[in-house]
Amino acid sequence: MKIKINRSAVELRQGDITKQKVDAIVNAANSRLAGGGGVDGAIHSAGGPAIMNECRKIGTCPTGTAVITTGGNLFAKHVIHTVGPRYRDGKSGESELLINAYKNSLNIAEKSGVRTIAFPSISTGVYRYPVNEASRLALSTVVDHLKGDTSIEKTVFVLFSLKDLETYSTSLKDLIKE
Ligand code: AR6
C-alpha cells in the first residue's frame, strides 16, 4: 500500500529492513545501544562491526530519543537508532515515548539529508507494545511530519509479518479517512 502526503510518499511493505534500498533505516534499539535480538540483531549482523563501533562512541540513547551512525555494509548509508518504550499498562507514558521515537528519528533524518527512510514497527516485538495501537501512533506521527516542511521524499514501514502488514494497512486506511 502506498499513499501520497504532499510531495512525499508513505509505503507499507512486508520484508526485512536490512535489505531496503533507502538512505537510512531505523533500528529499534535499547538505551545502552548494546545490540540485541529482533531487528537490532538483524541490523548489526547484516551491517557489520562499524555500526557497533560508532554506537560505543556515542554511548547511550534515552528512550524516545534517536542517534545516527553509518550503515556499514548495508545498502543504507545511515542507521538511525531509536529506543521505543517497553509496554507496561498503557498508562505509563508509553504513547508519548513511542511518538517521540518516531519524531526524533525523522528530525535526525532531516538534519542528515536523508530523503528515503525505512522504519520497523518500533516496540512491538520484545517490548510488547500492542501492534494495533502502535501502528496508529507510528503512522499518524509520520503523516503529520510529512505534512510540514520536509525534505523526506519516501517513508517505508517494513513489517516483518503479514499480520503486522495487515494491521498497519487497516490503520493507514482509517487515518486517511479521518
Ligand atoms: N526487518 C523488519 N522487521 C523486523 C526484523 C527485520 N529484519 N526483525 C524483526 N523485526 P523488536 P522492540 C520486527 O523486538 O520491540 C532488541 O533486543 C519484529 O517482528 O526488534 O522495539 C533491542 O536490542 C517486530 O515486529 O524491537 C531491544 O532490547 C519489530 O521488528 C529490544 O529488542 C520490533 O521488534 C527492542 O524491542
Side-chain angles (χ1 to χ4, degrees), residues 13-20 26-44 82-86 98 119-129 131 157-161 164 168:
R13 184 183 290 172
Q14 189 186 356
D16 178 349
I17 201 164
T18 65
K19 305 263 164 61
Q20 303 304 309
V26 177
N27 182 17
N30 54 65
S31 55
R32 292 173 298 119
L33 298 175
V39 72
D40 196 0
I43 289 172
H44 282 287
T82 191
V83 182
R86 278 177 202 276
L98 187 63
F119 282 96
S121 180
I122 298 165
S123 281
T124 66
V126 173
Y127 284 176
R128 304 178 66 88
Y129 209 116
V131 183
F157 281 87
V158 182
L159 292 323
F160 214 40
S161 69
D164 286 354
Y168 271 72

Side-chain angles (χ1 to χ4, degrees), residues 34-35 44 60 74 84 115 142 178:
H44 282 287
T60 58
L74 297 169
R115 292 184 184 276
V142 166
E178 280 170 11

Side-chain angles (χ1 to χ4, degrees), residues 5-159:
I5 308 288
N6 296 337
R7 271 162 298 164
S8 288
V10 177
E11 203 179 317
L12 309 181
R13 184 183 290 172
Q14 189 186 356
D16 178 349
I17 201 164
T18 65
K19 305 263 164 61
Q20 303 304 309
K21 296 200 160 42
V22 288
D23 297 337
I25 64 171
V26 177
N27 182 17
N30 54 65
S31 55
R32 292 173 298 119
L33 298 175
V39 72
D40 196 0
I43 289 172
H44 282 287
S45 100
I51 300 175
M52 186 50 83
N53 286 342
E54 281 190 40
C55 284
R56 286 207 188 93
K57 282 182 201 147
I58 294 165
T60 58
C61 180
T63 306
T65 68
V67 299
I68 190 163
T69 67
T70 175
N73 303 329
L74 297 169
F75 178 94
K77 195 172 164 207
H78 310 280
V79 175
I80 294 170
H81 305 260
T82 191
V83 182
R86 278 177 202 276
Y87 192 84
R88 292 200 170 85
D89 52 5
K91 297 175 198 149
S92 307
E94 294 96 330
S95 59
E96 197 185 7
L97 290 167
L98 187 63
I99 289 168
N100 286 345
Y102 282 97
K103 272 192 190 163
N104 286 316
S105 297
L106 291 162
N107 289 339
I108 207 166
E110 300 278 4
K111 278 192 212 136
S112 311
V114 167
R115 292 184 184 276
T116 56
I117 183 168
F119 282 96
S121 180
I122 298 165
S123 281
T124 66
V126 173
Y127 284 176
R128 304 178 66 88
Y129 209 116
V131 183
N132 187 32
E133 194 191 327
S135 68
R136 287 169 195 277
L137 295 172
L139 290 163
S140 59
T141 304
V142 166
V143 167
D144 281 352
H145 182 93
L146 297 178
K147 284 179 179 164
D149 189 18
T150 179
S151 45
I152 295 174
E153 292 161 6
K154 188 167 76 168
T155 305
V156 188
F157 281 87
V158 182
L159 292 323

